Amino acid sequence: MIVIMKSQARTSSVSAVIAKIEDAGYQVHLSEGEERTIIGIIGDGRPIDRNQLELMPEVERCVPILEPFKLASRDFKPTGTSFPIGQQMIGANEIILMAGPCAVESRSQIIETAHACKEAGAHVLRGGAFKPRSSPYSFQGLGEEGLKYLAEAREETGLPVITEVMEPAMVDLVCEYADILQIGARNMQNYALLHAVGESQHPVLLKRGMSSLMKEWLMSAEYILSHGNSRVMLCERGIRTFERYTRNTFDINAIPVVKEMSHLPIIADPSHATGKWEYVSAAAKAAVAAGADGLIIEVHPRPEEALSDGVQSLKPKRYAQLVREMKAIAEAVGRCIP
Amino acid sequence: MIVIMKSQARTSSVSAVIAKIEDAGYQVHLSEGEERTIIGIIGDGRPIDRNQLELMPEVERCVPILEPFKLASRDFKPTGTSFPIGQQMIGANEIILMAGPCAVESRSQIIETAHACKEAGAHVLRGGAFKPRSSPYSFQGLGEEGLKYLAEAREETGLPVITEVMEPAMVDLVCEYADILQIGARNMQNYALLHAVGESQHPVLLKRGMSSLMKEWLMSAEYILSHGNSRVMLCERGIRTFERYTRNTFDINAIPVVKEMSHLPIIADPSHATGKWEYVSAAAKAAVAAGADGLIIEVHPRPEEALSDGVQSLKPKRYAQLVREMKAIAEAVGRCIP
Amino acid sequence: MIVIMKSQARTSSVSAVIAKIEDAGYQVHLSEGEERTIIGIIGDGRPIDRNQLELMPEVERCVPILEPFKLASRDFKPTGTSFPIGQQMIGANEIILMAGPCAVESRSQIIETAHACKEAGAHVLRGGAFKPRSSPYSFQGLGEEGLKYLAEAREETGLPVITEVMEPAMVDLVCEYADILQIGARNMQNYALLHAVGESQHPVLLKRGMSSLMKEWLMSAEYILSHGNSRVMLCERGIRTFERYTRNTFDINAIPVVKEMSHLPIIADPSHATGKWEYVSAAAKAAVAAGADGLIIEVHPRPEEALSDGVQSLKPKRYAQLVREMKAIAEAVGRCIP
Amino acid sequence: MIVIMKSQARTSSVSAVIAKIEDAGYQVHLSEGEERTIIGIIGDGRPIDRNQLELMPEVERCVPILEPFKLASRDFKPTGTSFPIGQQMIGANEIILMAGPCAVESRSQIIETAHACKEAGAHVLRGGAFKPRSSPYSFQGLGEEGLKYLAEAREETGLPVITEVMEPAMVDLVCEYADILQIGARNMQNYALLHAVGESQHPVLLKRGMSSLMKEWLMSAEYILSHGNSRVMLCERGIRTFERYTRNTFDINAIPVVKEMSHLPIIADPSHATGKWEYVSAAAKAAVAAGADGLIIEVHPRPEEALSDGVQSLKPKRYAQLVREMKAIAEAVGRCIP
């Protein structure tokens, strides 16, 4: 951290800052410019409270030098994290495809969709049993019944299952049925939940909050990692901006940025990132070209009857077409979709 | 809801939409313009699935006519909601002042601050026992110990206590000690938590999510209301924008908008809405002038030693000065700070 | 347009709205629901003033049915616009590559860069002679001298030249030297300038304003088109959001959306859309995969000596590598980079 | 400026940065921490190119210490700028009221409105003769004819006149008729225009761009100041955010921030900052309480007939009521509305 003093700061103010830093067990490095005095803090990386320094007399501001996340940073693990999901490796050269309906609506619906997704080339089945809905009057998911249907669909197709968990008390239940836990965008900073999934041994897909800085997203990953679970995937699903023509703005830049800042795999969700099925294919292909390690896409056999998110769901036939197109792009960028 | 057909839509597509609407038990009203055919849905207010209609052939889009919230709307209760908090009424002519530190740090700190706030004119004591922190390495609050200190501070000063609850499993515990439950911005769409506080009988202060539309905020209030708890206050605490000079952008417009759209009291949080103590007074006075029913402000006896949010905390002396200024403005707009 | 009356609107208010619409020469279509009365306006597409209707007694709001742009809409020209740029066609199956430095800094710099870009595969040379800089103390470009150097570089390499024009009085001058006029993001709503380039016969690349809705961007294109210049390209260059790790957020969704809403070619600018050279390649490849008709990329032989935008400029060698990668992706999506 | 080297940067990279800085005529101050080497640049405030340093090997990033604006900064003129507008002083204890229609629509309309505004208590008459409209098909203003009507209205009422200038070529013409030049939000970074008004001797009201950082806004003021015109007012008129219920989000924080960062007067525009007349009064009162030096408000005798912005215009009677309320608040905060 660097402390920048105000213009013309008195010697006594500078001394007070130095004393505070030294009291905390750090060394200081003083630099007196013509316009400003600047105090560098030299130490072992233990946190020092920025707020407290900023409130000392004649301090203008503090500038952190290090990123606040450690376990999630690329520095911590330069080679990148990879781990198996079903028959595939996530975070390796292969690109993993997750697909399925927004919500599990019935036993037959999820089994039909699972077969269609598998046939189209998907590796993992998605489907929500607990649904976060902005209205208390909307369909909230089938709950444990939905989890059972997901498990049945896995039995029938062999596809591992990803589903959302919304509260700490449900983590154990969801772990009984699911292979991957999903943390939704609205819960990216639900710390009790991050803590709980951090203590499970299931892989976690952590969606970016709809207005979260990438730095905050990595800090949320840090919560999970620091509780002992190292199998975390980050999922870019679009951010909220002023633009209204699409449901969200797909922050495609996040893919190369996360690759540089972190060792964790990065998944793209073009369904939420666009919000309209017409744009899902273009966004999905862009994500493959930009370097995503996987894609999670909403597929429904009859979107016009879906109980949620129908407008952003692809029909199986169109999804199969998209998989073929993504395979060609994966090859063009030196990767593969198995 | 209105369904707008695409330009030159075929008669068969129009008929299909009409059939779908009528099958769901509604009447239709058809309007054939030169450019577009438009189909109005006439019914009893039961929800009809917008997504499903939008996916029918040659439908361009649907336009909802009614707001999605009901119990939270001004239409539902035109006179406005008011209820007692300690000796005062919230939502009436009086403006209620809540003040205290970001976090309960020790028994002596909260008791000292409670006395100072009361003396300055505050009506309610704030203080966090469970703290949502973006870093797992930051101070997370004292937990139940902090709740006990809050209760002691109430004993000593008579000030009712507001504190944050972060997970459903903690609602009962927090209710034992606190008078008002606070839902933080990060949890505005934590539906399990909204459900749980909806079943308690404690008043709830619901902070707006940092990137939540006012519509979504009112929908979250609807969750609480629809579970049986009618004593909800809305709290504007700044939204996330591109501007970086302040921590958040105080959406002062939200005050008159909420007043028009809803019957619920609206509280302003100028501490988070600015993020720097230098700007808190200006923002607080603006909130009073704009019609806020209350203010929640961070006060700490020694901000430079605070374990969190020191930079946005006022010292008691400055807070007392602000209370005097707010009283003058309250009077100028025909209200009073008791 | 549809007029939605307030709940329980009086008959007299409804009649007044109807009278106003009929006086303006339109027909009305009345729909009386249980909750709301809705009035459809049927006419020949002439504009009717929404504001005026919204201010009539008991009107809740108006909903426009048609998009406000006409000449720029896909409806106006369903087949798409294409026109020649040098030896290539923009808006056809080919993807056009524009490259060069942010600013023309010297005769030798632009000529050296032009040769390097051509060799790497670029079809058009970019370079700023007039530079919009946020500081009055920064390098503002070489002006007409820069235009002359651009023309020399075209002589030497055969590459057509694109450069920015910043004010109406300069349009004629810039047209003397340049093949394509660029309207910068800050000038997207500089209507006097749009008017002026609309009257020239040079192709125009219209950058999206950094916080412009796609609808507004198309309205700005409409200004140019309506003044008689039909050779307009739209350029997505990133929008301003809360995210700070990249200079802008690349709105990749804009590519398929513009393709659907408009017949105009869409160009991507991954240099500005990311702001850091490390992310330019990923963003550029994403744009090709998403369907862009062209790319404009900053290339500088020695970015560390550039007078502006060095951090987002590629070196020629890296650019050449990127061109090879983009060619592979173009082929994978059924297009070609000649 | 401070240069932060990457973790484990080689000595040779550090030496290269030092050599570059010293070559440019600065001194360096080296600080070698355990995690990072940091290089301070000590000099006389001349600009050094951040981009060039950031691109040197093993440089992580640069941190500027000083704000980029000088003439606009509070440091430059700690006492604040004030100058006369008609009979009043702007930037002093008095709060100045500007009012009038969005656009001059006819001779009688502007004269009627001028009288009504004066009677209600306004000190300056606003009215647009040149209108920036997002659609080429909307009313674009009366042009010079409108300027003449404004001058006539000044003759009749004695109110000085503020009106927008949209292009450099029009500055002289507008100066002939108007007392204050307005730069609209869309033109905040139209540098040719800033240059032109900087060379005039008329006071300038500079609106904040709808997505401009306060830092950029002050840099645009710097353009005007550096061309010799010191009579600049800043105008906060709302910024673009994700919220859709209001036209813009009124950044009330900007008032105290500008007061701290700059010596220039700050004006609030609650009409654009809300976009709906119902919220204008609350926002205007908030601005007075927060410390604004003036307000510019749209007033129209018959908003339902206005050719632009009717929905955000107050009727004279309501404006007169608002002036009375603002006077009470001004007094409560120790200022006055004459």
Side-chain angles (χ1 to χ4, degrees), chain A residues 56 144 156 200 239-240 252 265 287 305 315 338:
Chain A
M56 294 188 73
E144 187 170 0
E156 291 224 8
S200 91
I239 57 174
R240 176 162 276 180
I252 192 107
E305 295 175 10
K315 292 183 185 170

Side-chain angles (χ1 to χ4, degrees), chain B residues 37-329:
Chain B
T37 293
I38 291 164
I39 303 165
I41 302 176
I42 301 174
D44 59 1
R46 282 171 303 164
I48 185 163
D49 193 311
R50 174 180 177 174
N51 278 352
Q52 295 187 356
L53 289 171
E54 282 193 334
L55 286 164
M56 295 188 72
E58 297 195 287
V59 169
E60 188 170 290
R61 63 193 164 105
C62 295
V63 178
I65 301 304
L66 301 176
E67 294 288 5
F69 45 87
K70 287 167 199 175
L71 305 176
S73 75
R74 174 66 70 171
D75 283 354
F76 181 76
K77 197 174 171 191
T79 54
T81 279
S82 67
F83 50 84
I85 295 286
Q87 308 300 312
Q88 269 71 41
M89 287 296 285
I90 186 85
N93 196 55
E94 297 168 353
I95 297 173
I96 301 304
L97 304 183
M98 309 181 186
C102 175
V104 180
E105 298 169 3
S106 70
R107 191 179 169 285
S108 62
Q109 173 249 17
I110 190 67
I111 288 176
E112 175 187 0
T113 313
H115 280 296
C117 289
K118 185 179 186 181
E119 201 172 319
H123 312 108
V124 176
L125 176 66
R126 66 152 286 156
F130 300 98
K131 296 302 304 170
R133 301 302 297 276
S134 54
S135 168
Y137 311 121
S138 299
F139 173 62
Q140 311 273 322
L142 296 179
E144 187 171 1
E145 189 188 348
L147 295 175
K148 284 179 182 164
Y149 296 154
L150 280 168
E152 276 191 70
R154 177 179 50 207
E155 285 305 299
E156 291 224 8
T157 60
L159 295 179
V161 158
I162 178 170
T163 199
E164 179 163 354
V165 57
M166 284 174 59
E167 49 178 319
M170 291 293 170
V171 171
D172 285 348
L173 179 71
V174 175
C175 283
E176 272 180 50
Y177 296 97
D179 301 281
I180 308 174
L181 303 176
Q182 176 180 315
I183 303 292
R186 292 176 177 89
N187 280 318
M188 194 201 85
Q189 295 188 315
N190 181 334
Y191 299 118
L193 184 59
L194 298 178
H195 186 134
V197 302
E199 289 183 343
S200 90
Q201 285 312 311
H202 274 57
V204 177
L205 181 137
L206 177 66
K207 290 203 164 187
R208 182 179 180 184
M210 86 172 87
S211 69
S212 294
L213 297 168
M214 294 190 227
K215 202 170 279 197
E216 293 166 336
W217 187 21
L218 288 166
M219 285 307 288
S220 287
E222 188 89 5
Y223 260 93
I224 303 173
L225 296 167
S226 69
H227 283 100
N229 187 343
S230 63
R231 293 190 291 165
V232 176
M233 294 167 266
L234 299 166
C235 178
E236 162 62 33
R237 44 76 72 202
I239 57 174
R240 177 161 275 179
T241 69
F242 59 83
E243 177 57 48
R244 305 168 186 199
Y245 204 80
T246 49
R247 182 173 170 187
N248 290 297
T249 296
F250 184 20
D251 186 1
I252 191 105
N253 291 349
I255 296 174
V257 172
V258 162
K259 282 281 170 205
E260 185 190 59
M261 289 166 75
S262 179
H263 55 87
L264 298 171
I266 171 88
I267 310 297
D269 174 351
S271 305
H272 286 86
T274 59
K276 294 191 187 165
W277 68 265
E278 292 94 327
Y279 311 136
V280 169
S281 291
K285 289 185 279 185
V288 172
D293 295 309
L295 290 102
I296 183 163
I297 293 178
E298 291 188 351
V299 174
H300 195 289
R302 287 166 299 281
E304 68 283 4
E305 296 175 8
L307 298 181
S308 59
D309 278 359
V311 289
Q312 69 191 35
S313 298
L314 297 184
K315 291 183 186 171
K317 197 173 153 190
R318 188 174 290 270
Y319 178 65
Q321 170 63 24
L322 171 59
V323 172
R324 285 190 292 275
E325 293 170 6
M326 290 193 293
K327 283 185 176 185
I329 296 172

Side-chain angles (χ1 to χ4, degrees), chain C residues 51-52 55 133-137 140 186 189-191 211 216 219 222-223 240 303-306 309-310, chain D residues 51-52 55 133-137 140 186 189-191 211 216 219 222-223 240 303-306 309-310:
Chain C
N51 278 353
Q52 295 188 356
L55 285 164
R133 302 301 298 274
S134 54
S135 167
Y137 311 121
Q140 311 272 323
R186 293 175 177 89
Q189 295 188 314
N190 181 336
Y191 299 118
S211 68
E216 294 167 336
M219 285 308 288
E222 189 88 5
Y223 261 92
R240 176 161 275 180
E304 68 283 4
E305 296 175 9
D309 279 359
Chain D
N51 279 352
Q52 294 188 358
L55 285 164
R133 301 302 299 276
S134 54
S135 167
Y137 311 122
Q140 311 272 323
R186 291 176 177 90
Q189 295 188 314
N190 181 335
Y191 300 117
S211 70
E216 293 166 336
M219 286 306 289
E222 188 88 4
Y223 260 93
R240 176 161 275 178
E304 69 283 3
E305 295 175 8
D309 279 358

Side-chain angles (χ1 to χ4, degrees), chain C residues 258-278:
Chain C
V258 163
K259 281 281 169 207
E260 186 190 57
M261 289 166 76
S262 179
H263 55 88
L264 298 171
I266 172 87
I267 310 297
D269 174 352
S271 305
H272 287 86
T274 59
K276 294 192 188 165
W277 68 264
E278 294 94 326

Side-chain angles (χ1 to χ4, degrees), chain A residues 77-157:
Chain A
K77 198 175 172 189
T79 54
T81 281
S82 67
F83 49 85
I85 296 285
Q87 308 301 311
Q88 268 72 39
M89 286 298 284
I90 186 84
N93 195 54
E94 297 168 354
I95 297 173
I96 302 304
L97 303 183
M98 310 181 186
C102 174
V104 181
E105 297 168 4
S106 70
R107 190 179 170 284
S108 63
Q109 173 250 17
I110 190 66
I111 289 175
E112 175 187 0
T113 313
H115 280 297
C117 290
K118 184 178 187 180
E119 202 171 322
H123 312 109
V124 176
L125 176 65
R126 66 152 287 158
F130 299 97
K131 297 300 306 170
R133 302 303 297 276
S134 54
S135 168
Y137 311 122
S138 298
F139 173 62
Q140 310 272 324
L142 296 180
E144 187 170 0
E145 189 188 348
L147 294 175
K148 286 179 180 163
Y149 297 154
L150 280 169
E152 277 192 70
R154 176 179 50 207
E155 284 306 297
E156 291 224 8
T157 60

